[in-house]
Amino acid sequence: EPEVTQTPSHQVTQMGQEVILRCVPISNHLYFYWYRQILGQKVEFLVSFYNNEISEKSEIFDDQFSVERPDGSNFTLKIRSTKLEDSAMYFCASQWGLAGVDEQYFGPGTRLTVT
Amino acid sequence: AQSVAQPEDQVNVAEGNPLTVKCTYSVSGNPYLFWYVQYPNRGLQFLLKYITGDNLVKGSYGFEAEFNKSQTSFHLKKPSALVSDSALYFCAVRDSVGNTGFQKLVFGTGTRLLVSP
């Protein structure tokens, strides 16, 4: 069964450094998402992406964040200058359908630790 | 904005007994509801969804959920729990405007299910 993959599984970085989290969505999917889960808290939406554009972003997704689909397979989340409060598990998800009723498939996540 | 609530932080059940994990929702318009499960150190796995149609939705691993419009609930159920069902369960609702493909999910706080042998 196809699955969403994410690398790295764990990233440790110092405050102020840039990080890039990588995702390979399921190949025929059209919609891509990033969510995050701070330890012990609920999963929060960050951004949705379709046709090489951001379609929606949350208040969390400020100017320090950016997303890109540099080629036909990868989908990346960049944090330009990390803060301590960016420490969280980051999940990538992809969705096939156009009707908005298809389920999202989530990757295993990247645990980001900012020190 | 759409929201879901999971009133129980943890549910304890003995193996072989039926289980229920509760979820209530608040939406404007038609609700699109989902259940996901998270095993330790793993991502979210889709279990089932309600879009329209039958109020009883069947999903993966023997789980089902009952949509109740009058009570605005979407409780997850399983007739006979397994120890391997122990995990974190999230209810979610689609929070996107209009008839588009975009599907921002709003998650509940999660309920930890602990099934004892």
Side-chain angles (χ1 to χ4, degrees):
Chain A
E1 184 176 329
E3 57 183 20
V4 177
T5 59
Q6 290 185 243
T7 54
S9 57
H10 191 189
Q11 174 92 46
V12 181
T13 190
Q14 289 189 330
M15 194 168 53
Q17 295 297 305
E18 175 183 286
V19 295
I20 297 176
L21 310 182
R22 292 183 167 79
C23 168
V24 180
I26 294 173
S27 63
N28 62 343
H29 283 192
L30 302 175
Y31 298 85
F32 312 108
Y33 306 82
W34 284 100
Y35 292 82
R36 79 172 185 189
Q37 184 182 30
I38 294 173
L39 187 64
Q41 298 186 24
K42 63 180 176 180
V43 178
E44 301 173 291
F45 168 81
L46 290 178
V47 65
S48 59
F49 192 84
Y50 169 73
N51 200 24
N52 286 319
E53 289 184 345
I54 289 175
S55 54
E56 188 173 356
K57 59 184 180 180
S58 72
E59 294 174 352
I60 304 167
F61 195 89
D62 61 22
D63 291 343
Q64 294 299 314
F65 291 87
S66 62
V67 289
E68 196 177 39
R69 191 157 158 83
D71 53 41
S73 59
N74 291 285
F75 179 49
T76 61
L77 175 69
K78 181 192 290 186
I79 309 175
R80 289 189 185 84
S81 179
T82 50
K83 302 187 284 286
L84 293 176
E85 54 265 39
D86 293 328
S87 295
M89 181 74 91
Y90 287 81
F91 293 107
C92 172
S94 70
Q95 172 200 344
W96 175 79
L98 297 176
V101 299
D102 293 325
E103 59 271 21
Q104 293 178 25
Y105 290 83
F106 284 77
T110 293
R111 182 170 298 283
L112 176 65
T113 302
V114 182
T115 61
Chain B
Q2 327 288 48
S3 65
V4 291
Q6 294 180 247
E8 303 155 316
D9 290 336
Q10 182 162 311
V11 169
N12 298 303
V13 64
E15 188 173 34
N17 284 357
L19 70 87
T20 298
V21 182
K22 295 180 180 176
C23 173
T24 58
Y25 65 88
S26 173
V27 302
S28 55
N30 295 322
Y32 294 171
L33 296 159
F34 302 81
W35 276 101
Y36 283 84
V37 60
Q38 185 180 31
Y39 296 101
N41 301 314
R42 301 283 295 277
L44 298 163
Q45 294 181 35
F46 169 75
L47 279 179
L48 49 80
K49 65 184 177 185
Y50 173 82
I51 305 301
T52 188
D54 288 343
N55 290 339
L56 186 64
V57 179
K58 293 190 182 297
S60 307
Y61 313 121
F63 283 93
E64 57 190 28
E66 186 172 8
F67 173 72
N68 188 316
K69 188 173 183 178
S70 62
Q71 296 185 2
T72 62
S73 66
F74 188 55
H75 300 332
L76 181 70
K77 300 182 179 186
K78 188 173 183 182
S80 178
L82 299 172
V83 172
S84 57
D85 292 331
S86 299
L88 191 56
Y89 290 81
F90 289 96
C91 182
V93 64
R94 180 189 178 216
D95 181 14
S96 296
V97 177
N99 202 20
T100 72
F102 311 121
Q103 191 195 82
K104 180 177 81 174
L105 291 179
V106 175
F107 286 86
T109 50
T111 298
R112 187 166 301 281
L113 174 66
L114 185 59
V115 182
S116 55

